[in-house]
Amino acid sequence: MSKSKSSTKKLLYVVAGLVILIGLGAVVGKSMGWMGGGTAAKDVETTEVKLKTITEIVSASGKLQPEVEITMRPEVSGEIIELPVKEGDYVKEGELLVRIKPDIYQARIDETNAMLLTQKARLEQARASLLEAESVYEQNKKLYEREAISKTEFVQSETNYEAQKANFNAAKYQVQSSEAQLEQAKEELQKTIIRSPRDGTISKLAVEVGERVLGNTQSIGTELLRIAKMDQMEVQVEVNENDIVNVSVGDTSNIEVDAYPERVFKGVVTEIANSAEISGEGTNEQVTNYEVKIRVATPHNLDMVGDGEMVREESSEMTEDEFVPSFKPGMSAAVDVQTETARNVISVPIQAVTVRDFAGETPADTTQSDTTDVDQDLVVPEEDMRKVVFVVEDGKAVRKEVKTGISDNTHIQILSGIEAGEEVVTGSYRMLSQGLSDGDEVNVNNNRFGQMASN
């Protein structure tokens, strides 16, 4: 008997719990509009439609590089015997950078000079032989005209004269060839001294004293160093093919460098590539990008320009609030290219614009006939997705179709559909994406959503 009473008591507890859960579910469902025919007002967050200036941006990331950078390679091979610069030094045009051991090239000059002297001596010998042959020829010519010698002797003297003339010309050309070789040897000797072709900073030094380098005569030479204009840096980024059509030369941009967090620098688009860089070609992950170069317009790297006196003079004129960054090649940077600006246009927060399917809706000025073909119920209408916003009018949500323009990170331009001053629904996300319908009663509760966002 006691077991029966215990089972009955447990059953009563279970039933009571179910009743309480059902009651709580009914209260929650009614408050959320799930019960009672959907007549309960839905809590929404709203904002007023205002005029705003919107700037559309294209974001990309890349690396900082000097806008002008020269790679120095030797024209002659040999051992480096002098290297008076180090990485980071500022050099001026004509300043000594590298000296290559000149012994071989000096010896070649001496050898070529000796050859030239030999060829000049041969030229003088050829000149003497030519004069002798010319004299004999002139004498034999007069004798032949008086028939004092035979024709054979005259022809021999004439032939010898022509041969000596050709020999003299050959000797003269040999002298010219030796002179050209001597000039070439002197130029090669001069090329053992490498000087800076322009003002700039040594951005990279790839060799040390004692190393042997290869010249450009037979193949690409050894890289010695690089000279860059460090006060003219640019960001090289890759922009997707969907965004590149919006970018133009001259567009301004904001640049954020990882090395300087919470600082924004100004930039200008200077170059846009015409050829694409394709990765993953032929696969589902194929990506097509275009390289874009953005010049850093904010003054930078002033400590790498000119001599120390000029730097100190410029630095002394700066106020405490001014900041001059020191960029280095290869630093990571992110850019926001400002492609288009619309001033004082109707705009709403991006989340206020949602999409609804207009397919299958019956126009208000027509009535549906009960005698329509039954087979039409089996036809699935095609989707007709349109952009809409919900406007609060007399406590109800009114759906309005809109056309949109450009957008920034927070707002989107409205070309048509609503006017400034109207009250549009901006939240919650779940309510806008699924729960809200045209004509629903709404309860504007901006304070509640603001508290939730702050929490």
Side-chain angles (χ1 to χ4, degrees):
M1 189 70 178
S2 59
K3 291 183 179 181
S4 175
K5 290 181 178 180
S6 177
S7 299
T8 303
K9 183 181 283 188
K10 289 181 179 179
L11 181 60
L12 290 175
Y13 286 154
V14 172
V15 172
L18 291 174
V19 171
I20 293 172
L21 288 175
I22 293 172
L24 289 174
V27 172
V28 173
K30 188 173 181 180
S31 64
M32 297 297 293
W34 299 341
M35 300 179 64
T39 58
K42 298 178 179 180
D43 287 335
V44 295
E45 182 182 7
T46 63
T47 189
E48 183 182 353
V49 179
K50 298 180 179 179
L51 298 180
K52 188 177 184 297
T53 298
I54 296 179
T55 301
E56 187 177 45
I57 62 173
V58 172
S59 299
S61 59
K63 299 290 184 181
L64 277 167
Q65 295 293 340
E67 192 170 339
V68 177
E69 187 173 43
I70 301 174
T71 300
M72 302 294 297
R73 301 180 188 274
E75 295 186 63
V76 295
S77 303
E79 178 185 348
I80 296 177
I81 61 173
E82 190 175 352
L83 188 64
V85 296
K86 60 182 182 296
E87 191 166 323
D89 284 353
Y90 182 85
V91 294
K92 293 185 177 181
E93 183 178 353
E95 187 173 338
L96 177 64
L97 300 177
V98 180
R99 190 188 298 273
I100 298 174
K101 192 173 183 178
D103 297 5
I104 297 176
Y105 303 98
Q106 183 61 56
R108 188 173 297 171
I109 289 177
D110 296 339
E111 179 184 358
T112 308
N113 194 33
M115 185 183 300
L116 175 61
L117 294 175
T118 302
Q119 295 300 334
K120 285 183 176 180
R122 291 178 179 175
L123 176 62
E124 294 303 321
Q125 291 177 352
R127 189 192 304 275
S129 298
L130 175 60
L131 291 175
E132 181 182 359
E134 184 181 8
S135 177
V136 172
Y137 167 72
E138 293 295 337
Q139 292 177 1
N140 288 344
K141 182 178 181 182
K142 292 179 181 179
L143 293 174
Y144 177 71
E145 290 175 351
R146 293 199 296 262
E147 297 181 355
I149 61 174
S150 65
K151 184 177 181 180
T152 302
E153 289 180 280
F154 171 71
V155 171
Q156 287 178 350
S157 63
E158 184 181 20
T159 303
N160 183 50
Y161 172 61
E162 294 296 334
Q164 292 301 327
K165 188 187 294 186
N167 187 39
F168 173 76
N169 289 333
K172 184 170 62 175
Y173 296 147
Q174 288 290 340
V175 170
Q176 293 177 356
S177 175
S178 297
E179 288 176 344
Q181 291 179 19
L182 180 61
E183 289 299 321
Q184 182 179 358
K186 289 180 179 179
E187 288 182 3
E188 288 180 347
L189 179 62
Q190 292 177 353
K191 291 174 181 177
T192 59
I193 300 175
I194 301 174
R195 300 185 181 276
S196 176
R198 63 174 302 158
D199 296 353
T201 303
I202 306 296
S203 59
K204 180 181 179 181
L205 186 61
V207 293
E208 297 288 347
V209 174
E211 288 188 33
R212 293 192 61 85
V213 294
L214 182 65
N216 284 326
T217 53
Q218 297 179 351
S219 61
I220 184 169
T222 306
E223 180 179 341
L224 300 175
L225 50 84
R226 296 181 185 179
I227 301 176
K229 294 286 290 182
M230 298 296 288
D231 59 327
Q232 297 178 1
M233 301 290 283
E234 65 182 8
V235 186
Q236 297 180 1
V237 300
E238 291 187 354
V239 178
N240 189 266
E241 60 181 324
N242 297 324
D243 296 325
I244 195 65
V245 294
N246 298 323
V247 181
S248 302
V249 173
D251 286 346
T252 58
S253 63
N254 293 326
I255 303 172
E256 296 181 0
V257 180
D258 291 355
Y260 296 98
E262 299 180 1
R263 292 188 183 273
V264 178
F265 309 100
K266 298 298 181 182
V268 179
V269 176
T270 56
E271 292 184 27
I272 301 174
N274 288 321
S275 57
E277 296 183 2
I278 303 175
S279 60
E281 188 172 3
T283 67
N284 293 332
E285 299 179 356
Q286 177 174 322
V287 177
T288 303
N289 293 326
Y290 292 82
E291 185 180 74
V292 176
K293 294 181 179 180
I294 302 164
R295 176 183 300 157
V296 181
T298 302
H300 54 278
N301 291 3
L302 295 184
D303 58 337
M304 297 183 181
V305 181
D307 52 25
E309 295 181 359
M310 184 173 69
V311 173
R312 286 193 293 272
E313 182 179 353
E314 290 183 356
S315 300
S316 63
E317 296 176 354
M318 296 178 184
T319 63
E320 294 181 356
D321 296 334
E322 290 180 326
F323 169 75
V324 179
S326 180
F327 295 140
K328 295 184 180 298
M331 283 185 171
S332 299
V335 299
D336 290 333
V337 181
Q338 300 172 355
T339 60
E340 186 178 353
T341 299
R343 302 184 183 278
N344 296 325
V345 295
I346 298 174
S347 64
V348 297
I350 292 177
Q351 67 271 19
V353 180
T354 185
V355 177
R356 288 292 187 270
D357 187 5
F358 281 62
E361 293 189 0
T362 304
D365 57 349
T366 61
T367 57
Q368 185 174 1
S369 173
D370 295 335
T371 60
T372 56
D373 191 352
V374 179
D375 292 340
Q376 290 183 354
D377 296 336
L378 303 177
V379 177
V380 178
E382 295 183 0
E383 289 186 346
D384 182 13
M385 309 301 291
R386 304 181 192 177
K387 294 180 180 179
V388 300
V389 298
F390 286 93
V391 177
V392 177
E393 296 180 357
D394 299 330
K396 293 185 178 181
V398 179
R399 185 184 68 185
K400 292 189 176 183
E401 183 181 354
V402 295
K403 292 183 178 180
T404 59
I406 64 174
S407 63
D408 58 16
N409 291 331
T410 59
H411 287 72
I412 186 169
Q413 178 187 8
I414 302 298
L415 300 176
S416 63
I418 58 175
E419 300 294 335
E422 295 188 73
E423 188 178 13
V424 296
V425 178
T426 58
S428 65
Y429 171 78
R430 184 176 64 180
M431 187 66 67
L432 277 172
S433 60
Q434 297 178 356
L436 196 61
S437 300
D438 188 25
D440 285 350
E441 293 185 0
V442 294
N443 178 33
V444 178
N445 196 348
N446 293 337
N447 293 332
R448 173 191 170 191
F449 283 98
Q451 292 176 358
M452 292 175 61
S454 62
N455 292 335

